[in-house]
């Protein structure tokens, strides 16, 4: 009902995603250095675990990842409430499923770019929405 909540959200989501990818990569680099390079043998697993934990913890504790906060957007549930741990786990799991199947990821991106509330596939399934933070 209030289009200003959704103004430029799709592009902000993209830049937030890039920020989060860079930050998660930095965390993984630290993890690899702490294992004296042995982590390189399981880098995909390390990246997946770090990414999942990072997303769940940041979304559960502020309804947004650090990238989302940087871009001034946040996730809300179907009732307009901030995300709790259960919803953060569900949203992150949905993100991981979408990332695992390129067709689902493509559908999600198309939905974000064309739907009135810029919802991706996981958002539509869970009833969540990405909004501009209040000033």
């Amino acid at each position: 009902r209030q289009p200003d909540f959704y103004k430029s959200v799709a592009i902000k989501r993209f830049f937030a995603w890039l920020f989060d990818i860079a930050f998660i990569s930095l965390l993984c680099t630290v993890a690899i250095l702490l294992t004296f390079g042995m982590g390189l043998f399981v880098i995909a697993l390390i990246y997946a675990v770090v990414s999942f934990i990072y997303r769940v913890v940041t979304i559960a504790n502020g309804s947004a990842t650090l990238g989302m906060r940087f871009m001034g957007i946040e996730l809300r549930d179907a009732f307009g409430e901030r995300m709790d741990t259960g919803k953060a786990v569900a949203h992150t799991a949905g993100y991981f499923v979408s990332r695992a199947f390129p067709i689902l990821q493509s559908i999600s991106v198309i939905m974000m770019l064309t739907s009135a509330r810029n919802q991706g596939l996981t958002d539509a399934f869970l009833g969540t929405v990405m909004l501009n933070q209040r000033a």
Side-chain angles (χ1 to χ4, degrees), residues 24-42:
I24 292 165
S25 297
L26 178 65
L27 293 175
C28 289
T29 301
V30 170
I32 289 168
L33 291 174
L34 290 175
T35 64
F36 301 105
M38 296 302 290
L40 284 172
F41 293 107
V42 289

Side-chain angles (χ1 to χ4, degrees), residues 107-119:
I107 291 168
S108 190
V109 169
I110 290 167
M111 288 175 67
M112 283 182 218
L113 295 173
T114 59
S115 66
R117 297 184 340 163
N118 303 112
Q119 289 176 294

Side-chain angles (χ1 to χ4, degrees), residues 62-133:
S63 214
T65 64
L66 297 179
M68 291 173 197
R69 292 175 198 172
F70 179 72
M71 293 307 299
I73 54 178
E74 63 185 359
L75 279 165
R76 294 295 178 118
D77 69 11
F79 303 102
E81 300 295 322
R82 294 177 147 241
M83 304 288 276
D84 60 20
T85 303
K87 292 173 191 164
V89 168
H91 198 275
T92 302
Y95 167 77
F96 268 69
V97 169
S98 289
R99 294 281 302 170
F101 298 97
I103 189 70
L104 294 180
Q105 186 64 24
S106 298
I107 291 168
S108 190
V109 169
I110 290 167
M111 288 175 67
M112 283 182 218
L113 295 173
T114 59
S115 66
R117 297 184 340 163
N118 303 112
Q119 289 176 294
L121 193 57
T122 300
D123 295 321
F125 184 75
L126 296 175
T128 57
V129 68
M130 189 74 69
L131 300 173
N132 286 308
Q133 289 177 335

